[in-house]
Amino acid sequence: MILLDSIDLKIIEELQKDGKQSIKQLSQKINLSITPTHERIKKIEASGVIEKYVAIVNPELLGKNLIVYCQVTLIQHEDNAFKKFEDYVNSIPKIVEVSYIAGSFDILLKIVLKDMKEYQNFVLKEISQLEIISNIQSSFVIKQVKSDTLISVT
């Protein structure tokens, strides 16, 4: 864990809310002059706490109306099987999250797709091609109530 003071945490909180704001705007919000604010941002970035800056898009406005969570069980639980799976899923842009899970299945995938037809093609032609998968169970999002990227700093 990285040691951060209250000003660093406020910077992180503000940048999570709006990573595109100017250093001048940010420095006013945290009551610090521009140069120390900029130096702190660079220090936080260099520490790896801030990994990258991105634009968050509205998937529906891009025609991506279906969010699917796939619970995947693997046949093998060996390092080379995990590596093969990771390499494969990292090559598929429609898979936006991959997490190893403790419980009744091994992996949880979050997939963002256009529609059920694209989902069908995904299952039949992409994910089921991996011979190390023994089972896939899918759940479909009916309504998303909250989707946030903010990580609490307190």
Side-chain angles (χ1 to χ4, degrees):
M1 189 166 123
I2 307 294
L3 292 177
L4 302 165
D5 64 19
S6 61
I7 296 171
D8 293 333
L9 295 174
K10 186 68 176 162
I11 289 170
I12 293 166
E13 184 177 63
E14 289 298 325
L15 287 174
Q16 286 187 95
K17 292 176 186 174
D18 180 6
K20 201 173 176 184
Q21 65 184 301
S22 70
I23 293 175
K24 181 180 178 183
Q25 290 170 314
L26 179 58
S27 67
Q28 290 170 345
K29 290 178 182 176
I30 64 169
N31 295 318
L32 199 62
S33 63
I34 292 172
T35 301
T37 299
H38 186 258
E39 289 170 359
R40 283 176 177 262
I41 292 169
K42 292 298 174 198
K43 179 190 82 165
I44 294 166
E45 291 170 347
S47 75
V49 171
I50 295 176
E51 294 180 356
K52 61 184 172 182
Y53 295 91
V54 298
I56 299 170
V57 300
N58 182 326
E60 290 181 7
L61 295 177
L62 296 173
K64 304 295 183 177
N65 298 305
L66 183 63
I67 298 172
V68 183
Y69 289 93
C70 289
Q71 301 167 349
V72 178
T73 306
L74 300 180
I75 294 170
Q76 303 169 340
H77 293 95
E78 300 168 357
D79 286 343
N80 62 340
F82 291 129
K83 175 75 172 122
K84 184 176 182 177
F85 182 83
E86 289 171 17
D87 290 345
Y88 186 73
V89 296
N90 279 321
S91 72
I92 303 173
K94 59 188 74 151
I95 300 175
V96 296
E97 290 180 20
V98 180
S99 301
Y100 287 104
I101 303 293
S104 59
F105 55 92
D106 300 316
I107 298 159
L108 182 65
L109 305 176
K110 180 180 179 184
I111 305 126
V112 179
L113 305 155
K114 184 172 77 172
D115 54 24
M116 286 299 283
K117 184 171 182 157
E118 188 177 11
Y119 168 74
Q120 180 182 10
N121 286 332
F122 168 77
V123 171
L124 295 175
K125 297 179 180 169
E126 293 183 74
I127 199 70
S128 65
Q129 298 302 309
L130 273 177
E131 64 278 357
I132 60 173
I133 293 177
S134 68
N135 188 29
I136 301 170
Q137 292 184 349
S138 298
S139 299
F140 304 94
V141 174
I142 295 169
K143 177 183 177 184
Q144 195 167 45
V145 176
K146 181 178 181 179
S147 176
D148 208 338
T149 60
L150 291 159
I151 304 295
S152 174
V153 295
T154 57

